[in-house]
């Protein structure tokens, strides 16, 4: 795990995530125009803190936690945010499709 990935996971702990997966995609984007050297990260976060929030509000909550890291340390951050209920609902639908 890279230092940047560990730092992001540490920051996301404030959301009390049930699960969090962070991927460092920086190698795929090395040297592209406009990149000032910051990393490209993807995060999948499941948290009760997202209950009742729109997707935009969820992303804003995450960005507030890492604002000081952007754009110098983190150049791009791709997010998938969900509640445990949403994840359970998605899994149930997927399992039902597999049974048919």
């Amino acid at each position: 795990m890279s230092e940047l990935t560990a730092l992001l996971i540490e920051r996301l702990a404030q959301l009390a995530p049930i699960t969090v997966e962070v991927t460092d995609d920086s190698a795929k984007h090395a040297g592209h125009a406009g990149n000032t050297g910051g990393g490209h990260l993807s995060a999948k976060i499941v948290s009760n803190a997202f209950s009742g929030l729109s997707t935009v509000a969820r992303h804003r909550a995450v960005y507030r936690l890492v604002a000081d890291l952007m754009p110098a340390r983190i150049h791009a951050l791709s997010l998938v945010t969900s509640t445990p209920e949403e994840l359970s609902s998605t899994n149930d639908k997927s399992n039902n499709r597999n049974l048919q």
Side-chain angles (χ1 to χ4, degrees), residues 24-98:
D24 189 341
D25 302 318
S26 299
K28 297 177 190 174
H29 301 277
H32 77 74
N35 187 350
T36 57
H40 287 69
L41 302 175
S42 299
K44 294 180 183 178
I45 310 157
V46 179
S47 175
N48 286 313
F50 298 140
S51 294
L53 298 179
S54 68
T55 301
V56 171
R58 294 172 184 193
H59 289 203
R60 285 181 179 155
V62 172
Y63 288 133
R64 275 193 294 275
L65 297 175
V66 298
D68 64 311
L69 301 176
M70 297 180 85
R73 302 275 313 269
I74 297 175
H75 175 73
L77 179 58
S78 173
L79 298 172
V80 175
T81 56
S82 59
T83 65
E85 295 78 19
E86 292 166 343
L87 187 63
S88 176
S89 174
T90 302
N91 288 338
D92 290 345
K93 289 177 187 175
S94 177
N95 288 337
N96 287 336
R97 279 194 299 269
N98 292 334

